[in-house]
Coordinates of all heavy atoms in Angstrom, one line a residue:
M1 N -2.7 0.2 47.6 CA -3.9 -0.2 46.8 C -4.0 0.5 45.5 O -4.3 -0.1 44.5 CB -5.2 0.0 47.6 CG -6.4 -0.2 46.9 SD -7.8 -0.6 47.9 CE -9.1 -0.4 46.7
T2 N -3.7 1.8 45.5 CA -3.7 2.6 44.3 C -2.7 2.1 43.3 O -2.9 2.2 42.1 CB -3.5 4.0 44.6 OG1 -4.4 4.4 45.7 CG2 -3.8 4.9 43.4
T3 N -1.5 1.7 43.8 CA -0.5 1.2 42.9 C -1.0 0.0 42.1 O -0.7 -0.1 40.9 CB 0.7 0.8 43.7 OG1 1.1 1.9 44.6 CG2 1.9 0.4 42.8
T4 N -1.7 -1.0 42.7 CA -2.2 -2.1 42.0 C -3.2 -1.7 40.9 O -3.3 -2.2 39.9 CB -2.9 -3.1 42.9 OG1 -3.9 -2.5 43.7 CG2 -1.8 -3.7 43.9
K5 N -4.1 -0.7 41.3 CA -5.0 -0.2 40.4 C -4.3 0.5 39.2 O -4.8 0.4 38.0 CB -6.0 0.8 41.0 CG -7.2 1.1 40.2 CD -8.4 1.5 41.1 CE -9.6 1.6 40.0 NZ -10.8 1.3 40.7
L6 N -3.3 1.3 39.5 CA -2.5 1.9 38.4 C -1.8 0.9 37.5 O -1.8 1.0 36.3 CB -1.3 2.8 39.0 CG -1.8 4.1 39.6 CD1 -0.6 4.8 40.2 CD2 -2.3 5.0 38.5
D7 N -1.4 -0.2 38.1 CA -0.8 -1.3 37.3 C -1.8 -2.0 36.4 O -1.6 -2.3 35.3 CB -0.1 -2.3 38.2 CG 1.1 -1.9 38.9 OD1 1.7 -0.9 38.5 OD2 1.4 -2.4 40.0
E8 N -3.0 -2.2 37.0 CA -4.1 -2.8 36.2 C -4.5 -1.9 35.0 O -4.7 -2.4 33.9 CB -5.3 -3.0 37.2 CG -6.6 -3.6 36.5 CD -7.7 -3.6 37.5 OE1 -7.5 -3.9 38.7 OE2 -8.8 -3.4 37.0
I9 N -4.7 -0.6 35.2 CA -5.0 0.3 34.2 C -3.9 0.4 33.1 O -4.1 0.4 31.9 CB -5.3 1.8 34.7 CG1 -6.6 1.7 35.5 CG2 -5.4 2.7 33.6 CD1 -7.0 3.0 36.2
E10 N -2.6 0.3 33.6 CA -1.5 0.3 32.7 C -1.5 -0.9 31.7 O -1.3 -0.9 30.5 CB -0.2 0.4 33.4 CG 1.0 0.5 32.5 CD 1.0 1.7 31.5 OE1 0.5 2.8 31.9 OE2 1.6 1.6 30.5
K11 N -1.9 -2.1 32.4 CA -1.9 -3.3 31.6 C -3.0 -3.3 30.5 O -2.9 -3.6 29.3 CB -2.1 -4.6 32.5 CG -0.9 -4.9 33.2 CD -1.2 -6.1 34.1 CE 0.0 -6.5 34.9 NZ -0.3 -7.6 35.8
Q12 N -4.2 -2.6 31.0 CA -5.3 -2.5 30.0 C -4.9 -1.6 28.9 O -5.3 -1.7 27.8 CB -6.5 -1.9 30.8 CG -7.1 -2.9 31.7 CD -8.3 -2.4 32.5 OE1 -8.4 -1.1 32.6 NE2 -9.1 -3.2 33.1
R13 N -4.2 -0.5 29.2 CA -3.8 0.5 28.2 C -2.8 -0.2 27.2 O -3.0 0.0 26.0 CB -3.0 1.7 28.9 CG -4.0 2.6 29.6 CD -3.2 3.9 30.1 NE -2.9 4.7 29.0 CZ -1.6 4.9 28.5 NH1 -0.6 4.3 29.1 NH2 -1.4 5.8 27.6
Q14 N -1.9 -0.9 27.7 CA -1.0 -1.6 26.8 C -1.7 -2.6 25.9 O -1.4 -2.6 24.6 CB 0.1 -2.4 27.6 CG 1.1 -1.5 28.2 CD 2.0 -2.2 29.2 OE1 1.9 -3.5 29.3 NE2 3.0 -1.5 29.7
T15 N -2.7 -3.3 26.4 CA -3.5 -4.3 25.5 C -4.3 -3.4 24.5 O -4.3 -3.9 23.3 CB -4.4 -5.0 26.4 OG1 -3.6 -5.7 27.4 CG2 -5.2 -6.0 25.6
S16 N -4.9 -2.4 24.9 CA -5.7 -1.5 24.0 C -4.8 -0.9 22.9 O -5.2 -1.0 21.7 CB -6.3 -0.4 24.8 OG -7.3 -0.8 25.6
V17 N -3.6 -0.5 23.3 CA -2.7 0.1 22.2 C -2.3 -1.0 21.3 O -2.2 -0.7 20.1 CB -1.5 0.8 22.9 CG1 -0.4 1.1 21.9 CG2 -1.9 2.0 23.7
F18 N -2.0 -2.1 21.8 CA -1.6 -3.3 20.9 C -2.7 -3.6 19.9 O -2.5 -3.7 18.7 CB -1.2 -4.5 21.7 CG -0.8 -5.7 20.9 CD1 0.4 -5.7 20.3 CD2 -1.6 -6.8 20.8 CE1 0.8 -6.8 19.5 CE2 -1.2 -7.9 20.0 CZ 0.0 -7.8 19.4
Q19 N -3.9 -3.7 20.4 CA -5.1 -4.0 19.6 C -5.4 -2.9 18.5 O -5.7 -3.2 17.4 CB -6.4 -4.2 20.4 CG -6.4 -5.5 21.2 CD -7.5 -5.6 22.2 OE1 -8.2 -4.6 22.5 NE2 -7.8 -6.8 22.6
I20 N -5.2 -1.7 19.0 CA -5.4 -0.5 18.1 C -4.4 -0.5 16.9 O -4.7 -0.3 15.8 CB -5.4 0.8 18.8 CG1 -6.6 1.0 19.7 CG2 -5.2 2.0 17.9 CD1 -6.5 2.1 20.7
N21 N -3.1 -0.9 17.3 CA -2.1 -0.9 16.3 C -2.4 -2.0 15.2 O -2.2 -1.8 14.0 CB -0.7 -1.1 16.9 CG -0.2 0.2 17.5 OD1 -0.6 1.3 17.1 ND2 0.7 0.0 18.5
L22 N -2.7 -3.2 15.7 CA -3.1 -4.3 14.8 C -4.3 -4.0 13.9 O -4.2 -4.1 12.7 CB -3.3 -5.6 15.5 CG -2.1 -6.3 16.2 CD1 -2.6 -7.5 17.0 CD2 -1.1 -6.6 15.1
L23 N -5.3 -3.5 14.5 CA -6.5 -3.2 13.7 C -6.4 -2.0 12.8 O -6.8 -2.0 11.6 CB -7.6 -2.9 14.7 CG -9.1 -3.0 14.1 CD1 -9.4 -4.2 13.4 CD2 -10.1 -2.7 15.2
Y24 N -5.5 -1.0 13.1 CA -5.2 0.1 12.3 C -4.5 -0.3 11.0 O -4.8 0.1 9.9 CB -4.4 1.2 13.0 CG -4.0 2.3 12.1 CD1 -4.9 3.3 11.8 CD2 -2.7 2.4 11.5 CE1 -4.6 4.3 10.9 CE2 -2.4 3.4 10.7 CZ -3.3 4.4 10.4 OH -2.9 5.4 9.6
K25 N -3.6 -1.3 11.1 CA -2.9 -1.7 10.0 C -3.8 -2.5 9.0 O -3.7 -2.2 7.8 CB -1.8 -2.7 10.4 CG -0.6 -2.0 11.1 CD 0.4 -3.0 11.6 CE 1.5 -2.3 12.3 NZ 2.5 -3.3 12.9
V26 N -4.7 -3.2 9.5 CA -5.7 -3.9 8.6 C -6.6 -2.9 7.9 O -6.9 -2.9 6.8 CB -6.5 -5.0 9.4 CG1 -7.7 -5.5 8.6 CG2 -5.6 -6.1 10.0
V27 N -7.2 -2.0 8.8 CA -8.1 -1.0 8.2 C -7.4 0.0 7.2 O -8.0 0.2 6.2 CB -8.7 -0.1 9.4 CG1 -9.5 1.1 8.8 CG2 -9.6 -1.0 10.3
N28 N -6.2 0.3 7.5 CA -5.5 1.2 6.6 C -5.2 0.4 5.3 O -5.3 1.1 4.2 CB -4.1 1.6 7.2 CG -3.4 2.7 6.5 OD1 -4.1 3.6 5.9 ND2 -2.1 2.7 6.4
F29 N -4.8 -0.8 5.3 CA -4.6 -1.6 4.1 C -5.8 -1.7 3.3 O -5.9 -1.5 2.1 CB -4.0 -3.0 4.4 CG -4.0 -3.9 3.3 CD1 -3.0 -3.8 2.4 CD2 -5.0 -4.8 3.1 CE1 -2.8 -4.6 1.2 CE2 -4.9 -5.7 2.0 CZ -3.8 -5.6 1.1
E30 N -7.0 -2.0 4.0 CA -8.3 -2.2 3.2 C -8.8 -0.8 2.7 O -9.4 -0.8 1.7 CB -9.3 -2.8 4.2 CG -9.0 -4.2 4.5 CD -10.0 -4.8 5.5 OE1 -10.8 -4.1 6.1 OE2 -9.9 -6.1 5.7
S31 N -8.4 0.3 3.4 CA -8.9 1.6 3.0 C -8.3 2.0 1.6 O -8.8 2.8 0.9 CB -8.5 2.7 4.0 OG -9.2 2.4 5.2
K32 N -7.1 1.4 1.2 CA -6.5 1.7 0.0 C -7.2 1.0 -1.2 O -6.9 1.3 -2.3 CB -5.0 1.3 0.0 CG -4.3 2.1 1.1 CD -2.8 1.7 1.1 CE -2.2 2.5 2.2 NZ -0.7 2.2 2.4
T33 N -8.1 0.1 -0.9 CA -8.9 -0.6 -1.9 C -10.1 0.3 -2.3 O -10.9 0.6 -1.4 CB -9.3 -2.0 -1.5 OG1 -8.2 -2.7 -1.0 CG2 -10.0 -2.7 -2.6
G34 N -10.2 0.7 -3.6 CA -11.4 1.5 -3.9 C -12.6 0.7 -3.9 O -12.7 -0.6 -4.1
R35 N -13.8 1.3 -3.7 CA -15.1 0.6 -3.7 C -15.4 -0.2 -5.0 O -16.0 -1.3 -4.9 CB -16.3 1.6 -3.5 CG -16.3 2.3 -2.1 CD -17.3 3.3 -2.1 NE -18.6 3.0 -2.6 CZ -19.6 2.4 -2.1 NH1 -19.4 1.9 -0.8 NH2 -20.7 2.2 -2.7
N36 N -15.0 0.3 -6.1 CA -15.3 -0.4 -7.3 C -14.1 -1.2 -7.8 O -14.3 -1.9 -8.9 CB -15.7 0.7 -8.4 CG -17.0 1.3 -8.1 OD1 -17.9 0.6 -7.7 ND2 -17.1 2.6 -8.2
N37 N -13.0 -1.3 -7.1 CA -11.9 -2.2 -7.4 C -12.3 -3.6 -7.0 O -13.1 -3.8 -6.2 CB -10.7 -1.7 -6.8 CG -10.1 -0.5 -7.3 OD1 -10.6 0.1 -8.2 ND2 -9.1 0.1 -6.5
R38 N -11.6 -4.6 -7.6 CA -11.8 -6.0 -7.1 C -11.3 -6.1 -5.7 O -10.3 -5.4 -5.3 CB -11.0 -6.9 -8.0 CG -11.3 -6.8 -9.5 CD -11.6 -8.1 -10.1 NE -12.0 -8.1 -11.4 CZ -13.2 -8.1 -11.9 NH1 -14.2 -8.2 -11.0 NH2 -13.5 -8.1 -13.2
C39 N -12.0 -7.0 -4.9 CA -11.7 -7.1 -3.5 C -10.3 -7.7 -3.4 O -9.9 -8.6 -4.2 CB -12.8 -8.0 -2.9 SG -12.7 -8.0 -1.1
H40 N -9.6 -7.3 -2.3 CA -8.3 -7.8 -2.0 C -8.3 -9.2 -1.5 O -7.2 -9.8 -1.4 CB -7.7 -6.9 -1.0 CG -8.4 -6.8 0.3 ND1 -9.4 -5.9 0.5 CD2 -8.3 -7.5 1.4 CE1 -9.9 -6.1 1.7 NE2 -9.2 -7.1 2.3
C41 N -9.5 -9.8 -1.2 CA -9.5 -11.1 -0.6 C -9.4 -12.2 -1.8 O -9.2 -13.4 -1.4 CB -10.8 -11.4 0.1 SG -12.3 -11.5 -0.9
G42 N -9.5 -11.8 -3.0 CA -9.2 -12.7 -4.1 C -10.5 -13.3 -4.7 O -10.5 -14.2 -5.5
S43 N -11.7 -12.9 -4.3 CA -12.9 -13.4 -4.7 C -13.3 -13.1 -6.1 O -14.0 -13.7 -6.8 CB -14.1 -13.0 -3.8 OG -14.2 -11.6 -3.9
G44 N -12.6 -12.0 -6.6 CA -13.0 -11.4 -8.0 C -14.1 -10.5 -8.1 O -14.5 -10.0 -9.1
V45 N -14.8 -10.3 -6.9 CA -16.0 -9.5 -6.8 C -15.5 -8.0 -6.4 O -14.5 -7.9 -5.7 CB -17.0 -10.0 -5.8 CG1 -18.2 -9.2 -5.6 CG2 -17.4 -11.5 -6.1
K46 N -16.4 -7.1 -6.8 CA -16.0 -5.7 -6.3 C -16.0 -5.6 -4.8 O -16.8 -6.3 -4.1 CB -17.0 -4.7 -6.9 CG -16.9 -4.5 -8.4 CD -17.9 -3.4 -8.8 CE -17.7 -3.1 -10.3 NZ -18.6 -2.0 -10.7
F47 N -15.1 -4.8 -4.3 CA -15.0 -4.6 -2.9 C -16.3 -4.2 -2.2 O -16.6 -4.7 -1.1 CB -13.8 -3.5 -2.7 CG -13.6 -3.3 -1.2 CD1 -13.0 -4.3 -0.4 CD2 -13.8 -2.0 -0.6 CE1 -12.7 -4.1 0.9 CE2 -13.4 -1.8 0.7 CZ -12.9 -2.8 1.5
K48 N -17.0 -3.3 -2.8 CA -18.3 -2.9 -2.2 C -19.3 -4.0 -2.1 O -20.2 -3.9 -1.2 CB -18.9 -1.7 -3.0 CG -19.4 -2.0 -4.4 CD -19.9 -0.7 -5.0 CE -20.3 -1.0 -6.4 NZ -20.7 0.2 -7.1
H49 N -19.2 -5.0 -2.8 CA -20.2 -6.2 -2.8 C -19.6 -7.3 -1.9 O -20.3 -8.3 -1.7 CB -20.5 -6.7 -4.2 CG -21.3 -5.7 -5.0 ND1 -22.5 -5.2 -4.6 CD2 -21.0 -5.1 -6.1 CE1 -22.9 -4.3 -5.5 NE2 -22.0 -4.2 -6.4
C50 N -18.3 -7.2 -1.6 CA -17.7 -8.4 -1.0 C -17.3 -8.1 0.5 O -18.1 -8.4 1.4 CB -16.4 -8.8 -1.7 SG -15.6 -10.3 -1.2
C51 N -16.3 -7.3 0.8 CA -15.7 -7.1 2.1 C -15.9 -5.7 2.7 O -15.4 -5.4 3.8 CB -14.2 -7.5 2.1 SG -13.9 -9.2 1.8
L52 N -16.6 -4.9 2.0 CA -16.8 -3.5 2.5 C -17.5 -3.4 3.8 O -17.1 -2.7 4.7 CB -17.5 -2.6 1.4 CG -17.8 -1.1 1.8 CD1 -16.4 -0.5 2.0 CD2 -18.5 -0.4 0.8
S53 N -18.5 -4.2 4.0 CA -19.3 -4.2 5.3 C -18.4 -4.7 6.4 O -18.4 -4.2 7.5 CB -20.5 -5.1 5.2 OG -20.3 -6.4 5.0
E54 N -17.5 -5.7 6.2 CA -16.6 -6.2 7.2 C -15.6 -5.0 7.5 O -15.2 -4.8 8.7 CB -15.8 -7.4 6.8 CG -16.7 -8.6 6.8 CD -17.2 -9.0 8.2 OE1 -16.4 -8.9 9.1 OE2 -18.5 -9.3 8.3
H55 N -15.2 -4.3 6.5 CA -14.2 -3.2 6.7 C -14.8 -2.1 7.5 O -14.2 -1.6 8.5 CB -13.8 -2.6 5.3 CG -13.0 -1.4 5.4 ND1 -11.8 -1.3 5.8 CD2 -13.4 -0.1 5.1 CE1 -11.4 0.0 5.8 NE2 -12.3 0.7 5.3
Q56 N -16.1 -1.8 7.3 CA -16.8 -0.8 8.1 C -16.9 -1.2 9.6 O -16.8 -0.4 10.5 CB -18.1 -0.5 7.5 CG -18.1 0.2 6.2 CD -19.4 0.3 5.4 OE1 -20.3 -0.5 5.7 NE2 -19.5 1.3 4.5
K57 N -17.2 -2.5 9.8 CA -17.3 -3.1 11.2 C -15.9 -2.9 11.9 O -15.8 -2.5 13.0 CB -17.7 -4.5 11.2 CG -19.2 -4.8 10.8 CD -19.5 -6.2 10.8 CE -20.8 -6.4 10.2 NZ -21.1 -7.9 10.0
K58 N -14.8 -3.2 11.2 CA -13.5 -3.1 11.7 C -13.2 -1.6 12.0 O -12.5 -1.4 13.1 CB -12.5 -3.7 10.8 CG -12.5 -5.2 10.6 CD -11.5 -5.6 9.6 CE -11.7 -7.1 9.2 NZ -10.9 -7.5 8.1
T59 N -13.6 -0.7 11.2 CA -13.4 0.7 11.4 C -14.1 1.2 12.7 O -13.5 1.9 13.5 CB -13.8 1.5 10.1 OG1 -13.1 1.0 9.0 CG2 -13.5 3.0 10.3
E60 N -15.4 0.7 12.8 CA -16.1 1.1 14.0 C -15.5 0.5 15.2 O -15.4 1.2 16.3 CB -17.5 0.6 13.9 CG -18.4 1.2 12.9 CD -19.8 0.6 12.7 OE1 -20.2 -0.2 13.5 OE2 -20.4 1.0 11.6
K61 N -15.0 -0.7 15.2 CA -14.3 -1.3 16.4 C -13.1 -0.5 16.7 O -12.8 -0.3 17.9 CB -14.0 -2.8 16.1 CG -13.2 -3.5 17.2 CD -13.4 -4.9 17.2 CE -12.6 -5.6 18.3 NZ -13.1 -5.4 19.6
L62 N -12.3 -0.1 15.6 CA -11.1 0.7 15.9 C -11.5 2.0 16.7 O -10.9 2.4 17.6 CB -10.5 1.1 14.5 CG -9.2 1.9 14.6 CD1 -8.1 1.2 15.3 CD2 -8.8 2.3 13.2
Y63 N -12.6 2.7 16.2 CA -12.9 3.9 16.9 C -13.4 3.6 18.3 O -13.1 4.4 19.3 CB -14.0 4.7 16.1 CG -13.5 5.3 14.9 CD1 -14.1 5.1 13.6 CD2 -12.4 6.2 14.9 CE1 -13.6 5.7 12.5 CE2 -11.9 6.8 13.8 CZ -12.6 6.6 12.6 OH -12.0 7.2 11.5
D64 N -14.1 2.5 18.5 CA -14.5 2.1 19.9 C -13.3 1.9 20.7 O -13.3 2.2 21.9 CB -15.4 0.8 19.9 CG -16.7 1.1 19.3 OD1 -17.2 2.3 19.1 OD2 -17.4 0.1 18.9
L65 N -12.3 1.2 20.3 CA -11.1 0.9 21.0 C -10.3 2.3 21.4 O -9.8 2.4 22.5 CB -10.1 0.0 20.2 CG -10.5 -1.5 20.2 CD1 -9.6 -2.2 19.2 CD2 -10.3 -2.1 21.5
I66 N -10.3 3.2 20.4 CA -9.7 4.5 20.7 C -10.5 5.2 21.8 O -9.9 5.8 22.7 CB -9.6 5.3 19.5 CG1 -8.6 4.6 18.5 CG2 -9.2 6.7 19.7 CD1 -8.6 5.2 17.1
D67 N -11.8 5.2 21.8 CA -12.6 5.8 22.8 C -12.4 5.1 24.2 O -12.2 5.9 25.2 CB -14.1 5.7 22.5 CG -14.5 6.6 21.3 OD1 -13.8 7.6 21.1 OD2 -15.6 6.4 20.7
D68 N -12.2 3.8 24.2 CA -12.0 3.1 25.4 C -10.6 3.5 26.0 O -10.4 3.7 27.2 CB -12.0 1.6 25.2 CG -13.4 1.1 25.0 OD1 -14.3 1.8 25.2 OD2 -13.5 -0.1 24.5
L69 N -9.6 3.7 25.1 CA -8.3 4.0 25.6 C -8.3 5.5 26.1 O -7.6 5.8 27.1 CB -7.3 4.0 24.3 CG -5.8 4.4 24.6 CD1 -5.2 3.4 25.6 CD2 -5.0 4.4 23.3
K70 N -9.1 6.4 25.6 CA -9.2 7.7 26.1 C -9.8 7.7 27.5 O -9.3 8.4 28.4 CB -10.1 8.6 25.2 CG -9.5 9.0 23.9 CD -10.4 9.8 23.0 CE -9.8 10.2 21.7 NZ -10.7 10.9 20.8
K71 N -10.8 6.8 27.7 CA -11.4 6.7 29.1 C -10.3 6.2 30.0 O -10.2 6.7 31.2 CB -12.5 5.8 29.0 CG -13.8 6.4 28.3 CD -14.9 5.4 28.2 CE -16.0 5.9 27.3 NZ -17.0 4.9 27.0
L72 N -9.6 5.1 29.6 CA -8.5 4.6 30.5 C -7.5 5.7 30.8 O -7.0 5.8 32.0 CB -7.8 3.4 29.8 CG -8.6 2.1 29.8 CD1 -7.8 1.1 29.0 CD2 -8.7 1.6 31.2
D73 N -7.1 6.5 29.8 CA -6.2 7.6 30.1 C -6.7 8.6 31.1 O -6.0 9.1 32.0 CB -5.8 8.4 28.8 CG -4.9 7.6 27.9 OD1 -4.3 6.6 28.4 OD2 -4.8 7.9 26.8
K74 N -8.0 8.9 31.0 CA -8.6 9.8 32.0 C -8.6 9.2 33.4 O -8.2 9.9 34.4 CB -10.0 10.2 31.6 CG -10.1 11.1 30.4 CD -11.6 11.4 30.1 CE -11.6 12.3 28.8 NZ -13.0 12.6 28.4
D75 N -8.9 7.9 33.5 CA -8.9 7.2 34.8 C -7.5 7.2 35.4 O -7.2 7.4 36.6 CB -9.4 5.8 34.7 CG -10.9 5.7 34.5 OD1 -11.6 6.8 34.6 OD2 -11.3 4.7 34.0
Y76 N -6.5 7.0 34.5 CA -5.1 6.9 34.9 C -4.6 8.2 35.5 O -4.0 8.3 36.5 CB -4.3 6.5 33.7 CG -2.9 6.1 34.0 CD1 -2.6 4.9 34.6 CD2 -1.8 6.9 33.6 CE1 -1.3 4.5 34.9 CE2 -0.5 6.5 33.9 CZ -0.2 5.3 34.5 OH 1.1 4.9 34.8
I77 N -5.0 9.3 34.8 CA -4.6 10.7 35.2 C -5.2 11.0 36.5 O -4.6 11.6 37.4 CB -5.0 11.7 34.1 CG1 -4.1 11.5 32.9 CG2 -4.9 13.1 34.7 CD1 -4.4 12.3 31.7
K78 N -6.5 10.6 36.7 CA -7.2 10.9 38.0 C -6.5 10.2 39.1 O -6.3 10.7 40.2 CB -8.7 10.5 37.9 CG -9.5 11.4 37.1 CD -11.0 10.9 37.1 CE -11.8 11.7 36.2 NZ -13.2 11.2 36.1
L79 N -6.1 8.9 38.9 CA -5.5 8.2 40.0 C -4.1 8.8 40.3 O -3.7 8.9 41.4 CB -5.3 6.7 39.5 CG -6.5 5.8 39.7 CD1 -6.3 4.5 39.1 CD2 -6.9 5.7 41.2
I80 N -3.3 9.2 39.3 CA -2.0 9.8 39.5 C -2.2 11.1 40.2 O -1.4 11.4 41.2 CB -1.3 10.0 38.2 CG1 -0.9 8.6 37.6 CG2 -0.1 10.8 38.3 CD1 -0.3 8.7 36.2
E81 N -3.2 11.9 39.9 CA -3.4 13.2 40.5 C -3.8 12.9 42.0 O -3.3 13.7 42.9 CB -4.5 14.0 39.8 CG -4.0 14.6 38.6 CD -5.1 15.4 37.8 OE1 -6.3 15.2 38.2 OE2 -4.8 16.1 36.9
G82 N -4.6 12.0 42.3 CA -5.0 11.6 43.6 C -3.8 11.3 44.4 O -3.6 11.6 45.6
E83 N -2.9 10.4 43.9 CA -1.7 10.1 44.5 C -0.8 11.2 44.9 O -0.2 11.4 45.9 CB -0.9 9.0 43.7 CG -1.3 7.6 43.8 CD -1.1 7.0 45.2 OE1 0.1 7.1 45.7 OE2 -2.1 6.6 45.8
Y84 N -0.7 12.2 43.9 CA 0.1 13.3 44.0 C -0.4 14.2 45.2 O 0.4 14.6 46.0 CB 0.2 14.1 42.7 CG 0.9 15.5 42.9 CD1 2.3 15.5 42.8 CD2 0.2 16.6 43.0 CE1 2.9 16.7 42.9 CE2 0.8 17.8 43.1 CZ 2.2 17.9 43.1 OH 2.9 19.1 43.2
Y85 N -1.7 14.4 45.2 CA -2.2 15.3 46.2 C -2.2 14.6 47.6 O -1.9 15.2 48.7 CB -3.6 15.7 45.9 CG -3.7 16.7 44.8 CD1 -4.3 16.5 43.7 CD2 -3.0 17.9 45.0 CE1 -4.3 17.3 42.6 CE2 -3.0 18.8 43.9 CZ -3.6 18.6 42.8 OH -3.6 19.5 41.7
R86 N -2.3 13.2 47.7 CA -2.1 12.5 49.0 C -0.7 12.7 49.5 O -0.5 12.8 50.7 CB -2.5 11.0 48.8 CG -4.0 10.9 49.1 CD -4.3 9.4 49.1 NE -5.4 9.3 48.1 CZ -5.4 8.4 47.1 NH1 -4.5 7.4 47.1 NH2 -6.4 8.4 46.3
N87 N 0.2 12.5 48.6 CA 1.6 12.6 49.0 C 2.0 14.1 49.3 O 2.9 14.2 50.2 CB 2.6 12.1 47.9 CG 2.4 10.5 47.7 OD1 2.1 9.9 48.6 ND2 2.8 10.1 46.5
A88 N 1.4 15.0 48.7 CA 1.7 16.4 49.0 C 1.2 16.8 50.4 O 1.8 17.6 51.1 CB 1.1 17.3 47.9
D89 N 0.0 16.2 50.7 CA -0.5 16.5 52.1 C 0.2 15.9 53.2 O 0.2 16.3 54.3 CB -2.0 16.1 52.2 CG -2.8 16.9 51.2 OD1 -2.5 18.0 50.9 OD2 -4.0 16.4 50.9
A90 N 0.9 14.8 52.9 CA 1.6 14.0 54.0 C 2.9 14.7 54.5 O 3.4 15.6 54.2 CB 2.0 12.6 53.4

């Protein structure tokens, strides 16, 4: 039973890492645009009046995903330690 739970957490971790990598690339690209520069979307408006709020939402989502990954890592470690101690007692 624990093996299936480990597999489930591993799949969630892989999905989270994939999402973090994609979102990081977008946030990193947008971070290089200055607030007073023209927006990278091509609207001709300053970044702070155009896409800055969306950029901030993406940044917050990135931090949320990283926090979720940390929680998954803690759960994964607890399950592995539990398996180790169960096998050591046997």
Side-chain angles (χ1 to χ4, degrees):
M1 173 159 170
T2 308
T3 307
T4 57
K5 191 152 186 150
L6 285 173
D7 292 340
E8 179 183 322
I9 290 175
E10 183 60 31
K11 285 180 184 177
Q12 290 175 345
R13 286 184 74 249
Q14 289 174 355
T15 303
S16 292
V17 169
F18 181 73
Q19 290 174 340
I20 288 170
N21 285 335
L22 286 178
L23 196 54
Y24 176 77
K25 289 176 184 177
V26 171
V27 168
N28 191 35
F29 172 76
E30 291 175 351
S31 296
K32 294 178 184 178
T33 304
R35 288 173 45 84
N36 290 317
N37 293 350
R38 301 232 179 257
C39 189
H40 60 273
C41 73
S43 65
V45 180
K46 288 184 177 182
F47 182 62
K48 65 183 177 184
H49 296 298
C50 189
C51 293
L52 181 61
S53 62
E54 288 299 316
H55 170 72
Q56 291 170 337
K57 289 177 188 173
K58 291 175 190 171
T59 303
E60 289 174 15
K61 180 159 176 67
L62 178 64
Y63 287 128
D64 290 344
L65 285 170
I66 291 170
D67 288 342
D68 291 345
L69 181 62
K70 287 178 183 178
K71 290 175 189 172
L72 283 172
D73 285 344
K74 287 180 183 178
D75 291 344
Y76 193 72
I77 288 170
K78 285 180 185 176
L79 282 171
I80 290 174
E81 286 176 346
E83 278 293 307
Y84 174 77
Y85 289 118
R86 267 188 240 133
N87 291 336
D89 291 338

